[in-house]
Amino acid sequence: MGGEEAIPVAGLDVHTTLNVNIQDVAESSLMKALQQYGAERGCVVVMEVATGEIKAMTNLTRTADMGYAETFNHAVLGKTDPGSVFKLPSMIAMMEEGDLDNKEWVQTGDGIFKIGSSTMEDSNVKHGGHGTITAQEVFEMSSNVGTMKLMLKYFGGKESRYYDYLKKFHLTEPLNFQLKPDVAPTIKQPSQWSKITLPWMSVGYETSITPLQMLTFYNAIANNGVWIQPIIVKQTKIVDDVQEDFKASQVKIDEPICSEKTLMKVRKMLEGVVERGTAKNIKNPLYKIAGKTGTSQKLIGGKYREGMYYTSFIGYFPADAPKYSCVVVIDNPRGVKKEALYAADVSAPVFKEIADKIYACDIQMHRLLDARKYDPRYFATQKHIAHTGDIKAICDEFGIEKQPQEEGWAVIKGDNGSLEFENQLNPKSKVPDLRGMTLRDALYLLENKGFRVNYKGAGKIISQSIPPGSLAVRNRVIGLTLE
């Protein structure tokens, strides 16, 4: 007021890679989980696999009033022991160095492994450990003992080779990310290692690395082995004049970080974690998720604290045609049971919730229906069974003159625009042929014969556990599959 008028100057427009819808989903899903577990902090980053563009980044920290706010960028600056998510680079290094096979047997014993005065345990040690399992199962079940024994087999006496692989995987240098400062990972040089560093490092201890750096590595596996630098700003403009194009300067290493053979083996491991392993609770029938859980004890005052955990899940989806990669971190969750604070129950469900919502909104990721299966001509040639009373009622409603002549059950056949009816026998003491029936009709027949029925699927019956014509025995269980 009272001063000279200021002439407006055209400002700098920043064009980010963020997707407002994915950002909203990520933030709300993370907030809900942090509140549920009373965790100290957490972060989520969603990245587009092929481009390295960050579509969502959210960081929340518990405040003095027990709420949560964006006060620190944990994804970019929050270095810590990564835990079992670091088993992925370890497995890849062993595959590249010694051609580790998924089917190789590993003796994990009772789940306890000692080196000198140090002891590492598997999460199921109270249940007697995993015993002898394959390398695939070592990864799926996240066996610390199995990973450490494999690591000593393939890199014992040549520890520097393992470090060379971590360097090749771009895990020893900073990302040179656009948001500054850019934090460098802490990976000790082999000259600084003790006799336990190699096995402990292989399962995610004695290192310090950010969630974004680990996500970038996983993203390379999803991207056919091609490492690409993450970006959050595409370009800056003044009106339509581009001032700086960050896509043009984005680093992309065309040489894959591992062989195609290794890529196939390790992808199988990542999918197995969700299919059968520690994250099987997030498996779903619509699309496949590949990823790895990570639960590490927190290092406080130079000591790892029992019951205080840093949990994470890193993966990508859909697993067979990856479009997005994502990391979820929830730090120091709290609950009644220790086992309920592991990544499988804390971080992995957040990943699935975010992935489900992205999948629902992205029709390009949806599987195409079998066009032939839903073609009316194909439908008309399939076997369909119904009661003649129902068939006649439908025919009367649609003015169809041709109707079944006999009472009971009939097979409906249709081809070239014509209908044919064939009597379906239903012997009193025999199991009828149920294929082509609706569940309602099948239940009517079977329960009248004294059967107990289990079924799965929806639609028409395509198979039955007791063959047609078998003797009908009361109180016997019969299983039906519908499609």
Side-chain angles (χ1 to χ4, degrees):
M1 293 179 66
E4 295 183 4
E5 292 185 1
I7 300 174
V9 178
L12 195 66
D13 296 325
V14 178
H15 294 255
T16 75
T17 63
L18 296 172
N19 179 303
V20 65
N21 295 318
I22 298 178
Q23 177 71 23
D24 182 61
V25 165
E27 186 167 336
S28 61
S29 298
L30 178 63
M31 177 70 80
K32 184 169 64 175
L34 292 174
Q35 291 171 339
Q36 178 184 350
Y37 288 100
E40 288 183 8
R41 60 187 70 87
C43 68
V44 170
V45 181
V46 180
M47 189 186 302
E48 192 171 62
V49 169
T51 65
E53 294 183 3
I54 291 175
K55 297 302 176 183
M57 178 182 287
T58 181
N59 298 272
L60 296 172
T61 306
R62 192 170 61 204
T63 57
D65 61 358
M66 303 306 288
Y68 291 92
E70 291 245 13
T71 60
F72 185 80
N73 196 332
H74 304 290
V76 177
L77 302 175
K79 292 202 307 180
T80 189
D81 290 312
S84 292
V85 294
F86 207 78
K87 289 172 183 171
L88 181 64
S90 296
M91 285 291 179
I92 294 175
M94 288 187 281
M95 290 174 179
E96 292 288 280
E97 180 70 14
D99 198 23
L100 169 68
D101 188 81
N102 298 52
K103 296 180 180 179
E104 179 173 333
W105 292 103
V106 188
Q107 294 181 354
T108 68
D110 59 1
I112 301 174
F113 187 56
K114 294 184 178 180
I115 299 180
S117 60
S118 299
T119 301
M120 179 63 75
E121 297 179 349
D122 279 341
S123 60
N124 73 335
V125 65
K126 291 183 179 179
H127 302 287
H130 296 293
T132 301
I133 55 178
T134 64
Q136 174 80 26
E137 291 168 324
V138 165
F139 194 79
E140 289 177 356
M141 303 301 174
S142 201
S143 169
N144 293 323
V145 175
T147 306
M148 294 166 82
K149 284 192 170 183
L150 285 170
M151 182 61 65
L152 289 172
K153 174 184 175 179
Y154 284 94
F155 286 104
K158 48 179 180 179
E159 289 80 3
S160 61
R161 289 287 296 156
Y162 178 56
Y163 182 85
D164 290 341
Y165 280 108
L166 297 182
K167 191 172 182 179
K168 180 182 178 183
F169 299 158
H170 309 282
L171 290 171
T172 61
E173 299 174 355
L175 292 170
N176 193 25
F177 188 56
Q178 292 162 313
L179 298 182
K180 305 300 180 183
D182 193 34
V183 178
T186 301
I187 307 286
K188 292 188 291 187
Q189 296 277 350
S191 59
Q192 302 171 303
W193 291 8
S194 70
K195 65 179 180 180
I196 70 167
T197 299
L198 176 66
W200 255 249
M201 186 184 291
S202 71
V203 297
Y205 289 98
E206 293 206 22
T207 60
S208 188
I209 199 165
T210 66
L212 182 59
Q213 185 124 30
M214 285 305 305
L215 173 63
T216 304
F217 175 75
Y218 274 70
N219 191 81
I221 302 304
N223 195 29
N224 297 316
V226 176
W227 189 93
I228 188 167
Q229 182 187 34
I231 61 169
I232 198 168
V233 178
K234 292 181 181 179
Q235 53 186 205
T236 56
K237 290 182 176 181
I238 295 179
V239 191
D240 292 327
D241 185 19
V242 176
Q243 300 298 298
E244 191 166 2
D245 185 355
F246 294 102
K247 289 291 292 183
S249 59
Q250 183 184 18
V251 179
K252 181 179 180 181
I253 311 297
D254 291 328
E255 182 183 353
I257 62 173
C258 63
S259 68
E260 186 174 347
K261 181 180 179 182
T262 293
L263 202 60
M264 291 175 63
K265 290 192 290 186
V266 81
R267 278 186 166 181
K268 183 178 178 182
M269 284 186 169
L270 288 164
E271 291 177 28
V273 170
V274 179
E275 292 292 316
R276 298 170 297 275
T278 55
K280 61 179 180 289
N281 58 314
I282 68 170
K283 178 182 177 181
N284 71 81
L286 296 177
Y287 64 97
K288 279 189 174 185
I289 294 172
K292 184 73 186 73
T293 54
T295 305
S296 61
Q297 291 184 9
K298 288 179 66 65
L299 183 65
I300 299 176
K303 294 183 178 181
Y304 288 105
R305 303 289 179 170
E306 181 75 19
M308 299 182 70
Y309 300 107
Y310 175 88
T311 76
S312 61
F313 185 90
I314 311 180
Y316 53 85
F317 63 95
D320 50 356
K323 186 169 183 179
Y324 295 103
S325 60
C326 176
V327 57
V328 175
V329 170
I330 296 182
D331 195 354
N332 200 17
R334 300 175 183 181
V336 179
K337 290 177 63 179
K338 181 180 78 170
E339 290 78 6
L341 303 180
Y342 291 164
D345 292 310
V346 180
S347 297
V350 178
F351 182 102
K352 182 178 184 296
E353 182 175 326
I354 294 168
D356 281 350
K357 290 178 179 177
I358 293 174
Y359 178 85
C361 296
D362 191 338
I363 197 170
Q364 292 182 346
M365 288 195 290
H366 294 189
R367 291 180 300 174
L368 294 176
L369 296 175
D370 184 347
R372 187 181 72 89
K373 182 176 178 181
Y374 295 93
D375 189 315
R377 292 167 297 181
Y378 172 76
F379 181 79
T381 63
Q382 302 308 295
K383 182 180 180 182
H384 303 284
I385 302 175
H387 195 274
T388 53
D390 293 334
I391 297 172
K392 288 177 181 179
I394 294 171
C395 289
D396 288 341
E397 180 69 24
F398 287 94
I400 300 172
E401 295 183 5
K402 189 167 186 177
Q403 298 186 11
Q405 300 302 309
E406 301 182 38
E407 296 297 321
W409 297 89
V411 179
I412 310 168
K413 296 181 178 180
D415 199 8
N416 297 322
S418 65
L419 284 175
E420 297 292 338
F421 305 101
E422 181 182 298
N423 187 45
Q424 177 80 356
L425 298 177
N426 179 30
K428 184 176 181 180
S429 60
K430 299 291 181 68
V431 177
D433 187 350
L434 305 165
R435 292 166 295 182
M437 281 191 180
T438 63
L439 181 61
R440 185 194 69 172
D441 289 341
L443 288 174
Y444 171 79
L445 282 177
L446 293 171
E447 290 179 352
N448 274 302
K449 292 178 183 291
F451 280 95
R452 289 180 293 149
V453 182
N454 290 331
Y455 70 92
K456 62 180 180 179
K460 294 291 182 70
I461 295 168
I462 60 170
S463 66
Q464 57 193 87
S465 63
I466 303 176
S470 301
L471 186 66
V473 180
R474 297 190 68 83
N475 292 319
R476 192 176 179 186
V477 177
I478 184 171
L480 307 176
T481 301
L482 290 77
E483 187 177 281

